[in-house]
Amino acid sequence: MKRTVLAEPRGFCAGVVRAIAMVERALELHGPPVYVRKEIVHNQHVVASLRRRGARFVDSESEVPEGSVCVFSAHGVSPLVRHNAAARELRVIDATCPLVSRVHQHAKRGARDGRVLLLIGHAAHEETEGTRGEAPDRTIVVETIEDLDRLTLPSDTPVTYLTQTTLSVDETAVLIDRIRQRFSDIVAPGADTICYASQNRQNGIKSLARQCELILVVGARNSSNSLRMVDVAREAGARAYLVPDVAQLDESWLRDVRSVGVSSGASVPEILVEQLVDRLAGLGYDDITTDVTSVERVDFAVPASLSGGAPADGGSHDD
């Protein structure tokens, strides 16, 4: 018998659910067009759905007509972006993930206290760009152990470290250990800045790899957490592939495979997983079970200003 094992938890994290709901509510309150700076989340299915409803996605706040409604993405923005938006009198709706906002607060405290900020993350990632913008002259982005080892800072330099929230605890642990070895005066971020969604999905992948010959991760090609889930599966000894949508399933991957594990990144709507599972069932993988490795109870509420009935006045800022 051929089987499909579904990871649980999978798909949308609380920050993504909140961000999408905020764009949907903005469209209901203000009517289209509602401008969204960058992709609200890294998934083209989500972006296309919102675009059909009247959202317009732009790369920069400078592209938004003065006085228009503009939503900041879940990944957060720098103070410079906020300043530019205010200068254009944009009606800003801030969909930054609350965990990312906490990281920004930690960055501001570190800079205020005269510390060097060691930001663990991918330099080109939108979230890292926003966090670094809180104190660009005091922030050093580190992606690897080699980045840390190249630093010429004295060991008694006052430092604080921050982490990109889309990285798992496992991914950052080695770098944090090295920071603790290198420096004597360190302020660590609070536990409330840690996002367990990436860690939970990676733990689920590891469990699937112990049971399944093939792992399929539903996710976008520009989603760092989805790509990392594929890497984690391969590191655990399983064959693994990224599947942006069911149309991109290569049936040759299934040759001689009896068990397939399926999970999805934190920006992936469940409909894409369901379509893949239906396709697998049609190919004979119709014994479907769920592997629960943790239960997520985190919920981030939509701001009260978007929950009411009246549109916001010009110049408002909802967060």
Side-chain angles (χ1 to χ4, degrees):
M1 180 179 292
K2 296 179 180 180
R3 65 192 184 108
T4 296
V5 183
L6 284 168
E8 179 66 37
R10 62 181 180 272
F12 284 169
C13 64
V16 166
V17 170
R18 176 179 180 268
I20 294 170
M22 289 176 70
V23 177
E24 292 173 338
R25 186 58 179 153
L27 286 164
E28 292 171 3
L29 286 176
H30 301 284
V34 165
Y35 293 85
V36 183
R37 186 184 183 277
K38 306 289 188 182
E39 295 180 347
I40 187 68
V41 295
H42 286 162
N43 186 272
Q44 285 302 311
H45 181 89
V46 172
V47 170
S49 175
L50 292 172
R51 184 179 283 119
R52 287 192 295 270
R53 297 172 61 178
R56 294 187 184 177
F57 294 87
V58 297
D59 288 330
S60 170
E61 65 283 358
S62 65
E63 300 174 50
V64 181
E66 292 188 5
S68 298
V69 176
C70 180
V71 182
F72 292 158
S73 83
H75 294 115
V77 300
S78 68
L80 178 60
V81 170
R82 296 182 187 279
H83 172 80
N84 293 342
R88 298 181 65 78
E89 298 183 339
L90 302 183
R91 290 179 287 171
V92 169
I93 296 172
D94 190 355
T96 300
C97 173
L99 290 175
V100 175
S101 295
R102 292 171 194 166
V103 173
H104 280 234
Q105 290 300 317
H106 182 66
K108 288 190 278 192
R109 285 194 296 270
R112 178 198 63 202
D113 295 341
R115 293 182 174 274
V116 172
L117 280 56
L118 301 178
L119 175 53
I120 300 171
H122 303 304
H125 194 280
E126 184 182 339
E127 180 187 328
T128 297
E129 292 175 355
T131 304
R132 180 173 50 200
E134 293 290 354
D137 296 335
R138 304 198 66 82
T139 303
I140 301 172
V141 178
V142 291
E143 298 191 31
T144 65
I145 288 291
E146 290 73 24
D147 290 339
L148 276 173
D149 290 345
R150 281 193 292 268
L151 296 180
T152 58
L153 299 172
S155 62
D156 60 351
T157 301
V159 302
T160 188
Y161 65 84
L162 315 93
T163 61
Q164 181 180 314
T165 64
T166 56
L167 301 179
S168 70
V169 175
D170 286 350
E171 288 176 272
T172 61
V174 174
L175 287 165
I176 291 171
D177 285 346
R178 182 59 62 91
I179 289 171
R180 288 171 174 162
Q181 293 167 9
R182 284 283 311 274
F183 300 100
S184 59
D185 185 357
I186 304 170
V187 171
D192 63 353
T193 66
I194 298 173
C195 177
Y196 285 95
S198 293
Q199 185 66 55
N200 288 345
R201 280 149 190 73
Q202 290 183 22
N203 288 345
I205 287 289
K206 293 174 185 176
S207 181
L208 291 181
R210 290 191 289 268
Q211 308 171 55
C212 304
E213 303 156 81
L214 176 69
I215 308 295
L216 301 177
V217 176
V218 184
R221 299 190 191 281
N222 64 337
S223 168
S224 61
N225 74 85
S226 298
L227 292 168
R228 180 58 187 152
M229 289 167 70
V230 174
D231 291 339
V232 168
R234 291 171 177 169
E235 290 167 4
R239 286 198 298 127
Y241 299 97
L242 186 74
V243 185
D245 57 59
V246 68
Q248 298 185 60
L249 172 66
D250 186 337
E251 293 181 18
S252 70
W253 297 340
L254 302 170
R255 189 174 298 119
D256 299 325
V257 171
R258 306 295 300 177
S259 57
V260 180
V262 175
S263 189
S264 54
S267 300
V268 176
E270 184 65 12
I271 184 63
L272 298 184
V273 176
E274 293 171 356
Q275 290 170 352
L276 177 62
V277 171
D278 287 347
R279 179 61 180 149
L280 290 171
L283 294 170
Y285 297 86
D286 51 2
D287 178 16
I288 302 169
T289 59
T290 300
D291 181 36
V292 180
T293 53
S294 64
V295 177
E296 294 182 343
R297 296 186 175 89
V298 178
D299 178 51
F300 295 138
V302 170
S305 54
L306 287 177
S307 300
D313 295 331
S316 69
H317 188 114
D318 300 316
D319 57 13

